[in-house]
Amino acid sequence: MRMETLLEVYKQSKYQVPGHGKRDFHVLKRVMEGMDGQQESDLYGKGKVIEDFQVKMSEYLGKESAVFFPSGTMAQQIALRIWCDQKGLKRVAYHPLCHLEIHEEDGLKELHHIEVILLADKSRVIELDDVIGLNKDIACLLLELPQREIGGQLPSYETLEAISAYCRDKGIRLHLDGARLFEILPYYKKSAAEICELFDSVYISFYKGIGGIAGAILAGEKDFTETSRVWKRRHGGDLISLYPYIISADYYFDMRVNKMEQYYEEAKELAAFYNQCDRVSTMPIVPVSNMFHVHFEAAKEKMETILTAISKETGIGLTGYVREVTKETSNYEVSVGDLYSQVPKGALKNVFQLLNEKMKEN
């Protein structure tokens, strides 16, 4: 008889700990129920629905202008291309685990022929000394806040200010990969506009902490965004209509952007539960946003068995997957959203008591 997988059991669980819920058709249906069916859609990047949202986002980010893109991959490659063209130098720098480096099939290099310098050790964030120590000129430096692949770590705000000042002094453009910008505002105790002021261009996502369907904003000065519109057309990003993405982004932005403090505090509480368990730790130990990584001193297959058993016994799902780090260690990522507050605290504590017992036994 076939054993149920961890993912199957997780999906069937009464309570799921991370995220906002299933990514099903209800994500869009919920938005559409309150819409005026007579409202006109956008058309090839123009129209009230897209233009109003772009203005709303530019004001929120404190930037002169903003453009809606169907994907962050497209937006960020275009941003770096613009800065390289402006300086006449096709070379940029970013973290070794940057999204452009490990998740985009070398799109920046193959499509735009841009050379990349990898800054800092992959286990930590980029610091000022890394930037000062560059031995080649670059057109643009990309900083990802938070650095997702290492558990969502962040540099200090003073470091950000120092890097920004150094880049402006040296004529280096500074681009923000702010896919999770909203989620870091509680930690820095800054507004989005205050953080974005340090950067020449900014990308934000609407399907991560916000929980929309898809879509991104690229923001900066008007000359920059007007050039990005040209590149957006070249990349095939001007679909005849993007309104399902836009209206869902707007709807869930309004619903969740002011809940990031709640998610952040809940993430710290959840991480503390994990860190009380034998051979379990989080990265960072104390989260700096609503996301963190959970690390186990146990093999992937062993953790799948343990987590499946816990979910079946309690009806609470901690995760639907586990990744292999080494033959003896494993991990997974957690992002706290709307679902966490729905889990009864007593039942949640029981889950971690079980996890601790099983980790001691195995």
Side-chain angles (χ1 to χ4, degrees), residues 260-299:
M260 296 300 165
E261 180 82 40
Q262 173 192 324
Y263 302 152
Y264 171 50
E265 293 301 324
E266 290 171 340
K268 290 191 286 185
E269 177 181 86
L270 180 58
F273 284 136
Y274 276 109
N275 286 309
Q276 291 170 7
C277 296
D278 191 59
R279 297 189 295 136
V280 182
S281 63
T282 66
M283 173 61 74
I285 294 296
V286 179
V288 292
S289 72
N290 72 322
M291 73 157 290
F292 55 89
H293 288 182
V294 182
H295 289 264
F296 301 98
E297 295 176 24

Side-chain angles (χ1 to χ4, degrees), residues 152-184:
Q153 295 181 51
L154 286 169
S156 70
Y157 196 73
E158 292 72 25
T159 295
L160 289 183
E161 291 179 310
I163 290 175
S164 177
Y166 179 84
C167 287
R168 286 177 179 169
D169 181 59
K170 298 298 182 182
I172 300 170
R173 294 295 188 173
L174 189 59
H175 173 75
L176 171 59
D177 178 340
R180 294 167 177 79
L181 171 64
F182 311 115
E183 294 91 316
I184 66 172

Side-chain angles (χ1 to χ4, degrees), residues 123-192:
S123 65
R124 64 171 177 83
V125 298
I126 293 172
E127 299 287 353
L128 177 61
D129 286 346
D130 298 310
V131 185
I132 293 174
L134 278 165
N135 55 17
K136 289 184 178 180
D137 290 337
I138 59 171
C140 181
L141 169 66
L142 180 151
L143 294 182
E144 179 186 354
L145 304 177
Q147 197 72 52
R148 177 196 177 184
E149 299 292 338
I150 51 174
Q153 295 181 51
L154 286 169
S156 70
Y157 196 73
E158 292 72 25
T159 295
L160 289 183
E161 291 179 310
I163 290 175
S164 177
Y166 179 84
C167 287
R168 286 177 179 169
D169 181 59
K170 298 298 182 182
I172 300 170
R173 294 295 188 173
L174 189 59
H175 173 75
L176 171 59
D177 178 340
R180 294 167 177 79
L181 171 64
F182 311 115
E183 294 91 316
I184 66 172
L185 303 182
Y187 176 77
Y188 280 139
K189 300 188 185 304
K190 301 288 183 181
S191 69

